[in-house]
Amino acid sequence: MQRRMLLIRGFEERVAALYRDGEVPGFVHLSTGQEASAVGACWPLRPTDVITSTHRGHGHCLAKGLAPLGMFAELMGKDRGTNRGRGGSMHIADPSIGIFGANGIVAAGLPIAVGASVASQLRADGGVAVAFFGDGAVAQGAFHEAVNLAAVWQLPVVFWCENNGYAEFSPIAAQHAAPLERRASAYGIDYVAVDGNDVSAAAAVMTDLTTAVRGGRGPVMVEATTYRWHGHYEGDPERYRAPAELAQWKERDPVVLNAGRLDAAGYSREEMESLERSVARELDEAVEAARRLAEPDASSIHDFVVRPRPARPEPPEPAGDAPTFRTMDAIHSAIEEELASDDRVFVAGIDVADGGNVFGLLRGLKERFGDRVRDTPISETAIMGLGVGAAMAGMRPVVELMYLDFVGVCLDQLLNQAAKLPFMTGGAAEMALTVRTQFGAGRSSGSQHSQSLEALLAHIPGLTVVMPSTPADTYGLLRAAIQDPNPVVFIENRLLYGMKGPQPPAGHIIPIGKAAVVRAGTDVTVVSVSRMVHEALAAAEAAAAEGISVEVIDLRTVAPLDVPSILESVHKTGRLLIAHEAVVPFGIGAEIAAAVAREAFWDLDAPIERVGALPLPPPYAPVLEGAWLPDRDDITAALRRLAAV
């Protein structure tokens, strides 16, 4: 324990000097003074147990077993750093030894730890997850959602609060109206207080707790009282606390306290000095070795954003005599096939189990697959976070966001976690996560249940966004999404749930990122997606009666965008119309138009046109919604304009 604390203390001291001298770029948040909490909490953990950490995470990573050399190299931005120079101080991670990442977003690690504990619970492997967080994180909604979900599901997770008295610059008294003990009681979970500066006490508490949690005790809340010696960040002027307060806490230096315990146990001063010299030598050698390492090559900048996905041929169209099925049947069948064929797949979301989801799409799956189909509380951040953590733990979660409009409630777990963790870990983090959601205007669902927000998600590097338009494509693309090694947001249009079409064979899987020409033509290209594909096809039929030959492309995947297929069509027709249900400004049509204007400018015989919703929230009254929402008549009028040029 003393060696580990000396390692953390010496590491942080050297990082402070390296930062001061300009060898460490970016933000640095040191854990000096909190060594005993990290070492004690990680003392009984197995390599396969998982921790999630905070922006002040160096100590946690070292206590869990990460080598100093890789960490120094990472902080210096070197290619052989722990995360290939992609993470830096706030994002160090090594999933191979259960470190699922320090995190620059306050409280974001708690739902991820919950996800890792779900994986352990499903596999019954006796694993434990530990979520480190500071007292300031208790004010975050992610804290509430994660703890509540863990309590409801009785998950093997320890929530370890390092209460160092300050949330950034604010004292704890200004942050919380109720102590953590009362909060734990409200969730129905046990609470344990420990002296966070006493490594033996912390280790003893954690040893007992991990044994109990592995045995099915359920989650527990620990509050370790400690103190950070440095400011919130290096360079913090620290006007919010008195020097006397820091001096008082330094009298309870965890390293010195434990050295006294060792002295009382009979260890000689020579032995202690030898230990200190050994640790100092290891750290000094690590710093020098890290300095000699190369920086990443600029040509590698695109690495680790998206994992290579399996190459798949385009399957044949379903046979003409194939039985018909509905889009809702396609969703059920695809998920059922993946649950049956891969034990790593599980489904979680609001009312997806007993109710079969709000539209009844998943009815019967709970009865067949039991605990692998789970109802969650109404906690979108926890749902997305459990998907992230479970995916990092090697599972293939399929989590449901009931309405696409609700993405704002949980966007951090998609924007800053699912999409970025593979990149920020230098490709080490697995993220085979599928997020199913739905949208669809035209039924007076109002402004908060009707939005087509695919452009918002497509703008996030690392996310794949899929929007099928037919039952067969829904089946083939959903299976491909669940099997994909990348985080995929699968967006269904609820107005298509009852649509019928030919049922493909069970092995029907469609390649992600490949558009389809669903109607050939020679005069105008129409690019569309989801339900608007059918409006485009109807408009193309109307235009054909007027002698206008229209080629219709169904994108199927919004990100990545199949630009080559669009360019090939525009090269043939010379005219382009983009139709989508989202509002026109800043929609995916803008990106398509920009790509075509750049790559196929000399092929164009007319200006590019876009058809979409008006730039205002979806109205409720049917007459207003009808005026707002684009349809086949709008597309037909645009086709006439283009053909006339």
Side-chain angles (χ1 to χ4, degrees), residues 421-548:
L421 280 168
F423 177 79
M424 292 193 303
T425 59
E430 296 186 55
M431 200 56 66
L433 166 65
T434 302
V435 178
R436 279 189 53 252
T437 188
Q438 57 79 30
F439 79 110
R443 294 290 188 273
S444 290
S445 296
S447 293
Q448 295 178 347
H449 288 74
S450 304
Q451 298 165 95
S452 184
L453 300 174
E454 67 277 359
L456 186 153
L457 297 167
H459 184 73
I460 301 171
L463 286 188
T464 294
V465 182
V466 176
M467 299 180 72
S469 67
T470 68
D473 283 0
T474 299
Y475 175 85
L477 285 167
L478 183 50
R479 293 201 63 191
I482 298 171
Q483 295 177 22
D484 200 81
N486 300 289
V488 179
V489 182
F490 193 88
I491 304 175
E492 304 150 9
N493 190 300
R494 61 179 173 271
L495 273 65
L496 297 179
Y497 282 155
M499 178 186 178
K500 295 181 179 180
Q503 182 175 353
H508 186 81
I509 299 179
I510 291 175
I512 288 175
K514 182 64 178 174
V517 177
V518 293
R519 179 187 176 105
T522 57
D523 296 333
V524 183
T525 296
V526 178
V527 175
S528 192
V529 72
S530 191
R531 188 183 69 86
M532 289 300 290
V533 170
H534 303 287
E535 296 298 296
L537 288 170
E541 189 67 24
E546 302 175 22
I548 305 170

Side-chain angles (χ1 to χ4, degrees), residues 40-341:
C42 291
W43 186 251
L45 298 183
R46 303 167 181 169
T48 51
D49 290 330
V50 167
I51 68 168
T52 59
S53 183
T54 70
H55 55 273
R56 200 176 312 283
H58 302 164
H60 307 139
C61 295
L62 289 164
K64 188 63 164 66
L66 199 54
L69 172 56
M71 291 179 62
F72 280 128
E74 182 62 29
L75 267 64
M76 294 179 187
K78 300 303 180 75
D79 185 54
R80 289 182 58 189
T82 305
N83 304 125
R84 307 293 299 274
R86 269 70 172 181
S89 175
M90 287 192 289
H91 309 113
I92 291 177
D94 187 351
S96 71
I97 58 172
I99 301 172
F100 278 19
N103 210 300
I105 309 298
V106 174
L110 278 78
I112 296 173
V114 164
S117 69
V118 171
S120 290
Q121 188 181 70
L122 286 170
R123 290 191 294 239
D125 60 9
V128 169
V130 180
F132 287 103
F133 61 100
D135 49 278
V138 176
Q140 287 279 356
F143 166 87
H144 160 71
E145 294 191 22
V147 177
N148 184 60
L149 178 59
V152 170
W153 286 1
Q154 286 294 285
L155 295 173
V157 58
V158 177
F159 297 101
W160 188 279
C161 176
E162 291 182 322
N163 183 350
N164 60 25
Y166 289 92
E168 294 195 358
F169 312 144
S170 301
I172 189 171
Q175 294 287 300
H176 309 296
L180 194 58
E181 182 176 8
R182 286 178 59 191
R183 293 174 184 270
S185 175
Y187 293 113
I189 67 174
D190 290 333
Y191 166 89
V192 179
V194 66
D195 181 352
N197 280 19
D198 185 336
V199 68
S200 293
V205 163
M206 193 59 166
T207 299
D208 291 342
L209 290 179
T210 51
T211 299
V213 170
R214 292 189 207 282
R217 170 180 177 167
V220 63
M221 183 77 66
V222 179
E223 186 170 18
T225 304
T226 183
Y227 197 80
R228 56 172 163 86
W229 289 11
H230 287 236
H232 171 58
Y233 58 90
E234 285 302 277
D236 177 1
E238 300 185 64
R239 297 188 181 95
Y240 48 88
R241 64 181 183 180
E245 180 180 286
L246 175 58
Q248 184 179 7
W249 273 96
K250 283 189 174 182
E251 293 176 2
R252 299 201 68 254
D253 182 341
V255 177
V256 173
L257 289 175
N258 199 56
R261 184 178 287 113
L262 291 170
D263 179 68
Y267 284 86
S268 69
R269 182 59 198 162
E270 290 75 16
E271 288 176 301
M272 295 299 296
E273 290 176 350
S274 175
L275 178 62
E276 292 168 3
R277 287 194 300 270
S278 172
V279 170
R281 184 168 55 250
E282 177 186 351
L283 290 169
D284 288 339
E285 290 174 353
V287 169
E288 290 305 314
R291 282 173 170 151
R292 293 192 295 268
L293 294 174
E295 296 180 343
D297 193 290
S299 65
S300 70
I301 191 170
H302 296 288
D303 293 352
F304 315 124
V305 179
V306 177
R307 287 182 183 267
R309 45 181 41 106
R312 302 185 189 277
E314 182 73 26
E317 292 288 329
D321 58 351
T324 61
F325 75 153
R326 300 165 297 177
T327 298
M328 61 193 306
D329 304 321
I331 294 165
H332 186 285
S333 296
I335 295 176
E336 185 174 34
E337 289 282 349
E338 293 302 317
L339 284 166
S341 62

